[in-house]
Amino acid sequence: MTMNSLKEKINIERLPQHIAIIMDGNGRWAKEQGKLRVFGHQNGVGAVRAASEACAELGVKYLTLYAFSTENWNRSQFEVDALMRLLSKTMSEELKTLNNNNIRLNAIGDLERLPKSNYEALMKTIDETKNNDRMTLTLCLSYSGRWEIAQAAKKIAEKVKSGEINIEQIDEKCFSDFLSTNDMPDPELLIRTSGEERISNFLLWQLAYSEFYFTEKFWPDFGKEDLYAAIVDYQNRERRFGKTSEQLKENK
Ligand code: FPP
């Protein structure tokens, strides 16, 4: 018996170029099995691998994952330490796979807050994958959307002060250029797992016109078929960017 994959229902011509994911529910997944939250994070790594592989195979150019928020620093020291250890371990274990699959690793967020060893492991992997061009995998670490917007405002203010740009030049395009995502298109699709339906300070600027897809599945259970389901759902929607259905048809 052959299982039908939802992959066959995906229209490759209309693939989102950029998918962003809020990986949620690791703690609840572990709790359901009477295990520590950290066990959920460890099993979340497999889902990161599956999502990256599925996106690269399809031809999605950018995958952005919310791995650690600014607010996550407030979790217990035990959990923060475990997440950081997991990050370093994953970096060294996955470097080969990233290179074999021609995937470039990127990271955004207040990276200087990371422990030195994490920062170094991350920079090493970023540097050693910098020439890969099949897909860019961005990890958001110590990241929050408001932090990023405030940072951009600060950088623009400095440029105005030094006379490099004048106030009249500040528009949406100029502002986007000062965000850490300035070299990628905005995500067309945002996925959040675990049944929560919030944006939680993720890519606030970039998600302005994204389609949101929510699933009840906890992150460690999110596999390739779940990613395909999200893309199929996305492709059945009409993206209007404030226009009417009729206007969109006329433009075609
Ligand atoms: C959310 O679940 C998940 C996180 C805060 C961490 C995400 C980390 C991983 C998937 C593993 C490491 C990733 C990489 C890239 C090495 P939660 O803890 O908020 O779960 P809960 O809502 O059930 O408590």
Side-chain angles (χ1 to χ4, degrees):
M1 194 182 78
T2 50
M3 277 259 289
N4 276 336
S5 170
L6 279 169
K7 193 176 180 183
E8 293 157 21
K9 294 217 160 77
I10 296 174
N11 177 353
I12 294 297
E13 307 291 311
R14 291 181 51 244
L15 214 52
Q17 280 194 84
H18 185 174
I19 299 180
I21 308 183
I22 301 178
M23 310 181 288
D24 199 7
N26 292 350
R28 279 164 286 162
W29 182 89
K31 200 175 167 195
E32 267 189 357
Q33 308 176 44
K35 299 268 171 58
L36 292 177
R37 300 177 53 79
V38 170
F39 183 67
H41 298 316
Q42 287 162 351
N43 282 276
V45 176
V48 169
R49 204 176 292 127
S52 310
E53 227 175 75
C55 284
E57 282 165 4
L58 284 169
V60 172
K61 296 304 282 180
Y62 300 89
L63 174 64
T64 299
L65 304 175
Y66 207 1
F68 194 88
S69 71
T70 308
E71 292 75 20
N72 285 155
W73 288 116
N74 298 324
R75 292 199 175 178
S76 73
Q77 196 59 45
F78 175 78
E79 186 171 347
V80 171
D81 288 347
L83 273 166
M84 291 301 147
R85 269 199 306 276
L86 190 58
L87 183 67
S88 284
K89 185 169 169 270
T90 309
M91 285 300 111
S92 59
E93 285 175 0
E94 302 295 327
L95 176 61
K96 238 195 198 142
T97 317
L98 290 169
N99 278 330
N100 286 343
N101 289 287
N102 196 11
I103 296 171
R104 176 172 82 99
L105 187 78
N106 176 36
I108 62 172
D110 194 358
L111 304 178
E112 278 160 25
R113 275 188 81 180
L114 295 173
K116 197 163 169 273
S117 61
N118 279 98
Y119 181 81
E120 285 169 358
L122 187 67
M123 288 306 144
K124 181 173 181 284
T125 310
I126 289 175
D127 189 58
E128 293 184 10
T129 61
K130 66 172 187 276
N131 296 322
N132 297 341
D133 60 5
R134 183 178 181 199
M135 183 179 88
T136 299
L137 172 63
T138 301
L139 297 182
C140 303
L141 292 164
S142 190
Y143 173 89
S144 82
R146 288 184 176 179
W147 168 83
E148 185 186 34
I149 290 170
Q151 283 296 111
K154 213 190 261 178
K155 287 183 211 153
I156 294 171
E158 278 162 9
K159 297 272 182 203
V160 170
K161 199 173 164 194
S162 67
E164 283 171 81
I165 56 176
N166 57 54
I167 290 178
E168 288 67 37
Q169 280 174 282
I170 305 171
D171 56 12
E172 291 181 20
K173 167 74 181 70
C174 163
F175 200 90
S176 299
D177 288 341
F178 285 87
L179 294 171
S180 42
T181 50
N182 58 10
D183 55 352
M184 352 178 175
D186 288 340
E188 295 96 325
L189 172 61
L190 169 80
I191 299 171
R192 183 170 187 155
T193 57
S194 90
E196 307 292 345
E197 301 189 351
R198 287 187 297 277
I199 198 166
S200 298
N201 216 346
F202 192 38
L203 302 173
L204 294 179
W205 175 280
Q206 298 86 341
L207 294 173
Y209 285 103
S210 310
E211 296 293 332
F212 288 14
Y213 178 87
F214 301 108
T215 166
E216 293 290 324
K217 283 213 177 164
F218 292 142
W219 178 250
D221 287 333
F222 189 86
K224 286 187 176 184
E225 284 299 319
D226 299 298
L227 187 96
Y228 301 149
I231 297 177
V232 170
D233 189 273
Y234 159 83
Q235 292 190 329
N236 286 326
R237 301 184 194 184
E238 179 182 62
R239 304 187 73 213
R240 296 212 299 265
F241 302 98
K243 292 184 178 175
T244 64
S245 257
E246 290 70 27
Q247 282 175 315
L248 284 181
K249 281 181 196 120
E250 280 160 23
N251 287 349
K252 266 185 192 159

